[in-house]
Amino acid sequence: MAWRFFDGTYVEGGKFFDSLSVAPKFGSSKGLMTVLSNPAFSSSVASFGFATFGTACTGLVLKNYSTQDPLMSLSRIAVLLSLLFSYPLAFVGVRDGILDLLQVQDRPNSLLNSVTVGLLTLITGMAYFLSDLRKLLAFNGATWGNAVIYLLPTYMFVQCAKNVK
């Protein structure tokens, strides 16, 4: 993204400007505030996207870039590979966490396979019907925010109080 920002291929008259579905637009600080609220690495990556496209920059920065841009196509492939190979690692943690929460001690392969298929069906169904993730992320943030502030400290206190007796 930095390369494309500095080489000017997305400014008016640049190599990929005419192939964009949305032209870069500047003038509002709303997008800049979103970029600055991210952690350092994401912020630096998103900053170049915002610097290149201004307020026309979408949440998924790679969607702004031309499909004819080979460097950004390579970036999209890198993101695909990252998601493809990191998802199973996170998924196994979720599956095992659910089984721990349900206090399942005996875990034969048939049970693991059934839970895996069930969870994948649920996640795929949600992905199919949810086109706007902002509502899901807002619900998730509110739920976990409240849990961290109100529920988890209470739970930890109760557990510590049990151990003191």
Side-chain angles (χ1 to χ4, degrees):
M1 290 183 182
W3 185 302
R4 290 302 184 214
F5 170 71
F6 288 118
D7 75 2
T9 54
Y10 285 92
V11 297
E12 192 167 355
K15 182 177 179 182
F16 296 114
F17 184 82
D18 292 332
S19 65
L20 297 175
S21 58
V22 177
K25 183 174 91 177
F26 298 93
S28 168
S29 62
K30 179 180 80 171
L32 181 60
M33 290 301 120
T34 304
V35 167
L36 294 177
S37 67
N38 287 324
F41 179 73
S42 297
S43 181
S44 65
V45 169
S47 294
F48 283 111
F50 182 77
T52 305
F53 295 102
T55 57
C57 189
T58 63
L60 183 54
V61 177
L62 287 175
K63 281 184 81 173
N64 292 301
Y65 290 92
S66 171
T67 55
Q68 300 169 4
D69 185 345
L71 189 59
M72 289 302 127
S73 295
L74 187 62
S75 296
R76 289 182 184 101
I77 291 169
V79 169
L80 170 72
L81 292 174
S82 172
L83 291 172
L84 186 66
F85 292 110
S86 65
Y87 184 80
L89 298 173
F91 181 81
V92 168
V94 169
R95 183 195 65 195
D96 290 348
I98 289 172
L99 291 173
D100 287 345
L101 191 64
L102 298 173
Q103 298 178 349
V104 176
Q105 299 300 322
D106 186 33
R107 299 179 184 185
N109 282 339
S110 60
L111 175 68
L112 293 176
N113 290 342
S114 298
V115 172
T116 298
V117 168
L119 285 172
L120 284 175
T121 302
L122 176 69
I123 292 168
T124 303
M126 288 174 59
Y128 181 76
F129 290 108
L130 290 173
S131 59
D132 186 6
L133 291 181
R134 288 180 291 188
K135 292 176 185 171
L136 178 65
L137 292 174
F139 176 76
N140 188 23
T143 303
W144 283 106
N146 284 321
V148 167
I149 294 170
Y150 301 114
L151 298 177
L152 296 178
T154 306
Y155 177 75
M156 288 186 284
F157 174 77
V158 168
Q159 293 302 316
C160 286
K162 283 182 185 178
N163 294 335
V164 171
K165 292 180 182 179

